[in-house]
Amino acid sequence: MTTTSTVYWRSGAAGAVSAKELQEAADLLRSGGTVAFPTETVYGLGADARSTAAVESVFQAKGRPSDNPLIVHIADERQLEGLAASLTETERGLMKSFWPGPLTLVLPVLPDAVSPRVTAGLDTVAVRMPDHPLALALIREAGCPVAAPSANRSGRPSPTAASHVLEDLAGRIGGVLDGGATGVGLESTVVEAVGERSVRILRPGGVTPEQLRAAGYAVEFDAGAGIEAFGQPVSGSAVSETAASQPTAPRSPGMKYAHYAPRGEMTLVSGSAEAVRAYIQAKADAASALGLRTGILAYEETAASYRADAVLACGSLGKLESAARSLYAVLREFDELGAERIWAEACPSDGIGLALLNRLAKAAGGRQVDAG
Ligand code: TXA
Ligand code: MG
C-alpha cells in the first residue's frame, strides 16, 4: 500500500462544501481515486464501480477480504438501467417507498455493468440511493455508479464522522468530504425481493422490519442476518413467513466476518434489568481487581448505576434512534480510553433495536450472555 496525502474538504460556514470542492472530489472519483463521503447511515469510501483498479484501491485501503462484495450507490433511478436486469414490481415498489434512504436492494446484475471485484463474482449487485445531499451531489457530479463500503479499516467500527475516517484511513485514500455527523448511525438494511410484496433481510439496518411491513411487505430473515438470538425467526425455520426459503449459506457474504469491534474484548449481556446490572457490575469489579481497564456500555437511563474505568451512555433506551446514532462513536471512545474488557447492555429488539443488537453482537464477536 503506497501512502498518499489525503485531501480534506470541509463544509463551509453555510454547512455546504463549495461547488469547486465538490468538483474536485468528483474529478478524483472519475479518475480512479478513492473519496470518502457522508451518507445518512455512515461514511462510505467511494470508487468508480466500473473500474477494477479503483475498486481494488478500496479493498487495499480498508484491508477488506476480497470475497465480500460492495454496495453500489446511485443518485437517480435512471442509473439503474445500466446496472440491473429487469426489475420486478416488488423491487420497484421498494424503491418508491424507501429511496432515497437506508435500504439496499440485491438485484440481478447486467453483464459487465460493474467490475467483478464489486460483486465478488456473484450474479447480483447490491444497490442503494443514499438520502444525503452531499452523497447525491457527489455521485451526480462524478457521473458514475459509486461502489462504497463503510470508510473504516476492516473490522473497526464504521465511521459516523469524518474524523473517524481520517483516524482509520488518512494517507491511504484520495480524499474525504466532511459533511458532519451522519444521521442514522448504522448501515443500510440489505434485502432481496423473494416474491410478490415479500422481502428477505440479509442484513438488518436503518430501515426497520416494522417499516417494511407497514409498507405492505412480508418480511423474513436470512439465516446469515445475525438476528436469530433476538427473538426473530430466520428463513428455513418452521415459522418463516414464506414457504420457499431454505437454510443456506449467508446470502450477504459480509455478515460472516467479525465486525465493528472495539479493541477491548466485549461481551453483550441480556436479561432482566436488575440481573444485567448485577452481572455486569460483578464482572467489571472482578476484572478491575485483576488490574484490567474496564468499560461498560449502558444507556442514559442506566449509566449512573455502574462503576468502571469507562461507563459510556449509548443514547437513550427510550429513544433507540439516539442509541443507533451513538453506537460507533461510543465503541471508538472505549478504544481511546484504553478499555481492555467491555460489557454492553442489550437493548430491546424492536424497531432500529434489531440492527443495534446485531451490531452489538458483532462487536462482541459472539460473546453473548443471558444474565437471567
Ligand atoms: O449504509 C451502508 O450500507 C453503508 C454506506 C456507506 O452506504 N455501506 C456499507 O457497505 O455498509 P459495506 O460494504 O460495509 O456492506 C455491504 C454489505 C455486506 O454485508 C455485503 O456482504 C452485502 O452488503 N452485499 C454486497 N453485495 C451483495 C450481493 N450482491 N449479495 C448479497 N449481499 C451483498
Ligand atoms: Mg462495513
Side-chain angles (χ1 to χ4, degrees):
M1 174 88 226
T2 49
T3 303
T4 56
S5 79
T6 297
V7 188
Y8 174 69
W9 300 281
R10 193 215 301 261
S11 301
V17 171
S18 72
K20 182 175 159 287
E21 292 175 316
L22 194 67
Q23 185 70 53
E24 249 175 67
D27 285 346
L28 191 52
L29 267 185
R30 246 197 318 268
S31 62
T34 50
V35 174
F37 59 95
T39 79
E40 81 281 32
T41 60
V42 300
Y43 275 74
L45 178 59
D48 181 345
R50 302 164 307 186
S51 160
T52 293
V55 172
E56 185 57 43
S57 325
V58 167
F59 282 97
Q60 283 270 327
K62 283 182 59 90
R64 180 176 171 117
S66 59
D67 66 341
N68 194 359
L70 307 181
I71 293 173
V72 175
H73 296 64
I74 60 173
D76 69 65
E77 278 174 36
R78 266 170 319 186
Q79 275 185 294
L80 267 181
E81 288 162 23
L83 284 176
S86 62
L87 301 177
T88 64
E89 274 311 302
T90 299
E91 287 158 347
R92 285 188 196 286
L94 287 165
M95 290 168 194
K96 198 159 187 297
S97 297
F98 295 102
W99 281 6
L103 186 78
T104 294
L105 284 168
V106 174
L107 302 168
V109 67
L110 285 172
D112 304 321
V114 293
S115 161
R117 300 287 275 124
V118 169
T119 56
L122 299 170
D123 55 7
T124 53
V125 62
V127 185
R128 90 177 191 96
M129 188 187 293
D131 187 14
H132 194 290
L134 256 187
L136 293 172
L138 176 70
I139 299 164
R140 224 169 257 137
E141 193 66 45
C144 60
V146 176
S150 49
N152 51 286
R153 288 297 285 266
S154 203
R156 293 268 293 145
S158 297
T160 52
S163 60
H164 299 161
V165 176
L166 290 170
E167 228 170 80
D168 280 14
L169 298 174
R172 303 175 68 88
I173 60 176
V176 56
L177 270 168
D178 188 345
T182 57
V184 179
L186 301 177
E187 296 83 348
S188 63
T189 303
V190 180
V191 301
E192 59 184 358
V194 286
E196 212 177 308
R197 295 195 81 77
S198 184
V199 296
R200 180 181 296 146
I201 294 182
L202 308 183
R203 176 181 74 178
V207 169
T208 66
E210 289 87 339
Q211 287 173 311
L212 287 162
R213 291 191 186 107
Y217 297 88
V219 174
E220 63 177 71
F221 294 92
D222 186 65
I227 49 87
E228 52 291 329
F230 314 133
Q232 302 273 357
V234 299
S235 79
S237 68
V239 275
S240 165
E241 288 177 32
T242 59
S245 342
Q246 293 296 325
T248 49
R251 298 270 305 141
S252 183
M255 297 308 286
K256 69 176 184 276
Y257 294 103
H259 259 321
Y260 323 112
R263 296 196 177 93
E265 184 187 286
M266 193 168 116
T267 303
L268 177 59
V269 186
S270 57
S272 71
E274 193 37 49
V276 166
R277 205 202 61 79
Y279 179 92
I280 289 180
Q281 193 59 65
K283 289 288 179 185
D285 287 346
S288 269
L290 292 173
L292 292 163
R293 278 187 77 76
T294 54
I296 296 173
L297 183 152
Y299 304 93
E300 282 161 21
E301 294 85 348
T302 58
S305 68
Y306 287 110
R307 50 173 193 278
D309 294 312
V311 181
L312 301 180
C314 181
S316 162
L317 281 172
K319 201 166 180 306
L320 286 180
E321 288 75 19
S322 68
R325 206 174 301 126
S326 312
L327 176 68
Y328 290 135
V330 163
L331 294 180
R332 282 176 184 262
E333 200 175 336
F334 281 123
D335 287 349
E336 274 155 40
L337 296 170
E340 295 166 290
R341 293 287 183 280
I342 303 161
W343 290 269
E345 289 189 330
C347 65
S349 67
D350 50 320
I352 193 74
L354 187 68
L356 190 56
L357 276 174
N358 167 266
R359 305 306 193 270
L360 282 167
K362 295 262 168 192
R367 280 177 297 274
Q368 271 167 261
V369 174
D370 187 345

